[in-house]
Amino acid sequence: MFIVLVVGAACDSLILSCKSGAAPAEVNLNISDSDSVYIDSFLVTGHELRAEINRMYRNDHDTTPTDRNTRHYYRNHNDYLWVNRLGVDSSAYTLLGFLGTVERMGFSPEAFGVDDIRSDLTRMTDRHFDTDSNTISKVMARTEYRLTKAYLRYVAGQRFGYVSPYVAFNRLDLIDTAAARRHLGYRRLYDAHTLRPDSAFILDALERVKQRNIDTFLINSRPQSKEYDQLEAMLAETTDRERRRLIICNMEWLRWHTPALPVSEDGRRVVVNIPSYHLYAYCPDSIMTMKVGCGTLHTKTPLLNSKIERVDFNPQWHIPMSIIRNDVARHAGDREWFDRHNYYIADRSTGETLDPENVSASMLLSGHYRVSQRGGEGNSLGKLVFRFPNNFSVYLHDTSSPSFFSRSNRGVSHGCIRVQRPFDLARFMVGDVADKWQSDTTNTTRSRSVNPRVPIYIIYRTLYKCPDGQWQTFPDVYGYDEIIYRRIKPFLR
């Protein structure tokens, strides 16, 4: 098949489709592998174009998920998205305009190949080809491949983040030394439901290019958050290296697309920000704040979203296996130690209580027996616990040792969150019944459901807009910003 097309004056300023981006309805502008097309006096053969595309994806060893999607698209010989019989579609310039703004978020245009794309688009506009490395086929192939690669990097990164929190945080901490030697298991530290760019998103993004409808898609890919806009403005105002690093990391946290839980009917929600060691309880007309204690560096509090369902008064504490393994098992057989801590041992299958003198360490480690602490004075959970579904057996609770609240670093727990004013939080959850509990001197365990359920968000922000509207900086207590920065660094200028 041999086709000669002459580009008319209406499109002379671009070797691409007319400025409207619309192709004549009667002309199929796709270039097939068997085509030979003249653009002005330059011959483009479909075979050469495909060969150059094949060479590019074979030599592309970048490892981001979107880069793999780009290679997959062209490896399967799909239609070209940007180049056609008239040269290059005008949507390429639309994309280039958006890519030109990446410096505002601290990124390097080089990470998206902006200079190379702009150079080849200029070369095509000026018809500046040669017979060596810049033949028209090579230039068109480079332009096609680089545009797709940059486009997918940008829209997926802006919509879902350039770093996957699941990858970044869930391969950090071994479950424990003994188990790690056998299983190489890792603790799951990030469990907030966060959307990632799946195949449906990639297909939709590519389809937008085919339909010449990327403008709105590019706009909507940007985080739709006032806080994000404010951080971007802060970034523009500083040249301090550490300050920029702080802002860039917190902008990435805001890119992670975590669908909001349905707000309770009365508009209540609870936010715990680990770096600030504070809890914020929001009502439509007020905000209550209090100090909290969270997990230590070695027993981190997981990041998650859930709904508070129940408040327990004088709760029993069912001790997690990790604590049994590390702290309890070595005291097996010591009845005095168990009595001193008000612990008891029960068979999980029958509920029968066992004498601690008759229980060995291997029995405790088998998982067939539960170790619990009775409710009342001295209980590690204090007088109140606030329960919500999660995969870690963590919750908010009172504490029998409140002295740590005077410290600035309140990383003190095995993962649960200790609250400074538990009865105030109980009033927020269940109303006046909290007053009755506060005056109750018995050790009787009582429970009250929270209706409607109150959403809880356990988050990690080292630069956070506090309830008073002021941005405050907090220490990177778990080193998460350092992890984000290391992973996002290839994108930075």
Side-chain angles (χ1 to χ4, degrees):
M1 183 177 182
F2 187 84
I3 302 173
V4 178
L5 291 181
V6 178
V7 180
C11 294
D12 194 53
S13 63
L14 309 168
I15 310 180
L16 29 92
S17 59
C18 296
K19 293 180 180 179
S20 66
E26 68 278 7
V27 178
N28 177 9
L29 294 180
N30 290 333
I31 303 175
S32 72
D33 292 354
S34 59
D35 283 348
S36 294
V37 178
Y38 273 104
I39 298 181
D40 284 3
S41 59
F42 298 97
L43 177 65
V44 181
T45 69
H47 176 75
E48 289 179 359
L49 188 56
R50 181 63 66 182
E52 290 299 326
I53 289 283
N54 291 348
R55 184 187 61 79
M56 292 202 70
Y57 77 68
R58 287 169 182 156
N59 291 332
D60 183 359
H61 303 297
D62 289 335
T63 58
T64 72
T66 55
D67 295 339
R68 290 194 288 270
N69 284 316
T70 299
R71 289 195 292 273
H72 178 77
Y73 181 82
Y74 290 109
R75 187 183 299 120
N76 289 338
H77 285 205
N78 286 299
D79 289 342
Y80 302 123
L81 299 170
W82 312 88
V83 301
N84 54 45
R85 295 169 184 263
L86 299 180
V88 182
D89 189 82
S90 60
S91 55
Y93 285 88
T94 300
L95 173 61
L96 196 62
F98 279 84
L99 297 179
T101 68
V102 298
E103 288 183 290
R104 297 177 190 170
M105 56 192 194
F107 282 24
S108 168
E110 184 180 352
F112 300 87
V114 171
D115 289 345
D116 290 334
I117 292 170
R118 183 180 288 115
S119 175
D120 278 339
L121 286 175
T122 300
R123 187 178 296 278
M124 295 186 71
T125 301
D126 296 341
R127 287 68 158 172
H128 189 200
F129 307 115
D130 57 36
T131 58
D132 188 18
S133 60
N134 293 308
T135 66
I136 187 170
S137 294
K138 290 181 178 180
V139 173
M140 289 182 73
R142 290 198 304 256
T143 302
E144 169 72 22
Y145 191 86
R146 287 169 175 167
L147 282 167
T148 300
K149 185 174 179 177
Y151 171 69
L152 290 182
R153 276 190 172 191
Y154 180 84
V155 295
Q158 289 295 89
R159 180 75 63 87
F160 302 102
Y162 294 88
V163 176
S164 166
Y166 297 114
V167 174
F169 303 134
N170 291 341
R171 299 177 187 175
L172 291 179
D173 292 359
L174 294 172
I175 292 174
D176 62 53
T177 304
R181 292 196 187 104
R182 294 194 299 269
H183 307 297
L184 294 178
Y186 290 91
R187 292 186 63 218
R188 189 173 180 86
L189 300 174
Y190 189 93
D191 205 41
H193 175 51
T194 301
L195 300 181
R196 299 299 301 153
D198 57 13
S199 57
F201 173 81
I202 297 298
L203 290 174
D204 183 39
L206 296 174
E207 189 62 29
R208 300 296 181 114
V209 184
K210 294 176 184 178
Q211 295 174 357
R212 306 297 175 243
N213 183 28
I214 67 170
D215 305 58
T216 303
F217 192 72
L218 287 164
I219 292 170
N220 291 337
S221 294
R222 176 185 166 84
Q224 308 297 307
S225 159
K226 291 182 180 178
E227 286 79 10
Y228 183 89
D229 293 340
Q230 290 170 359
L231 288 178
E232 188 173 85
M234 287 184 204
L235 190 65
E237 294 171 356
T238 182
T239 58
D240 180 79
R241 182 176 178 180
E242 290 304 313
R243 180 69 175 174
R244 289 181 64 84
R245 176 173 174 160
L246 174 71
I247 295 170
I248 287 168
C249 290
N250 281 272
M251 289 174 72
E252 180 67 5
W253 283 101
L254 291 175
R255 289 190 191 101
W256 294 338
H257 192 66
T258 304
L261 296 172
V263 178
S264 63
E265 293 174 7
D266 52 8
R268 292 176 298 165
R269 73 184 190 280
V270 169
V271 175
V272 176
N273 184 26
I274 292 174
S276 72
Y277 294 120
H278 270 79
L279 176 149
Y280 310 93
Y282 292 87
C283 279
D285 57 354
S286 65
I287 302 172
M288 177 173 62
T289 67
M290 67 184 70
K291 295 178 180 179
V292 298
C294 300
T296 69
L297 179 62
H298 300 293
T299 55
K300 300 177 180 71
T301 297
L303 306 182
L304 57 85
N305 300 338
S306 187
K307 285 191 171 185
I308 299 173
E309 296 183 338
R310 194 176 86 235
V311 182
D312 292 345
F313 175 66
N314 283 330
Q316 292 194 34
W317 180 37
H318 301 301
I319 303 175
M321 179 55 72
S322 60
I323 299 178
I324 292 175
R325 185 183 299 116
N326 295 324
D327 299 331
V328 177
R330 66 178 181 269
H331 297 286
D334 186 348
R335 179 194 294 169
E336 183 180 343
W337 185 87
F338 278 81
D339 288 347
R340 187 165 62 249
H341 289 82
N342 209 14
Y343 290 171
Y344 68 94
I345 304 168
D347 187 307
R348 289 183 182 274
S349 60
T350 66
E352 178 186 0
T353 301
L354 285 73
D355 186 335
E357 287 189 347
N358 298 326
V359 177
S360 66
S362 61
M363 291 171 65
L364 292 179
L365 295 174
S366 70
H368 299 309
Y369 301 91
R370 182 177 64 245
V371 181
S372 302
Q373 186 180 41
R374 297 177 181 88
E377 290 299 322
N379 185 283
S380 296
L381 303 182
K383 301 294 286 185
L384 292 166
V385 62
F386 305 82
R387 300 190 185 276
F388 46 90
N390 64 86
N391 296 318
F392 310 94
S393 298
V394 299
Y395 26 77
L396 309 177
H397 65 85
D398 184 16
T399 177
S400 57
S401 305
S403 59
F404 72 88
F405 285 116
S406 63
R407 292 159 41 183
S408 57
N409 185 330
R410 295 189 288 277
V412 294
S413 78
H414 287 87
C416 286
I417 298 168
R418 306 175 189 179
V419 298
Q420 182 185 30
R421 290 154 44 207
F423 282 98
D424 286 343
L425 187 60
R427 291 184 190 92
F428 177 85
M429 297 290 174
V430 295
D432 293 342
V433 70
D435 294 324
K436 298 178 182 178
W437 287 348
Q438 193 166 15
S439 61
D440 190 330
T441 59
T442 71
N443 291 332
T444 304
T445 298
R446 296 182 174 87
S447 296
R448 178 62 64 94
S449 294
V450 177
N451 288 310
R453 305 292 190 253
V454 175
I456 177 170
Y457 302 87
I458 303 176
I459 66 172
Y460 192 97
R461 302 286 190 279
T462 53
L463 184 56
Y464 187 63
K465 190 173 185 179
C466 294
D468 61 3
Q470 299 300 309
W471 288 90
Q472 292 189 31
T473 301
F474 302 103
D476 186 14
V477 292
Y478 289 168
Y480 285 172
D481 278 7
E482 174 64 30
I483 293 166
I484 291 173
Y485 191 79
R486 188 166 62 244
R487 288 180 172 271
I488 210 170
K489 195 171 183 179
F491 288 96
L492 303 182
R493 62 188 176 92

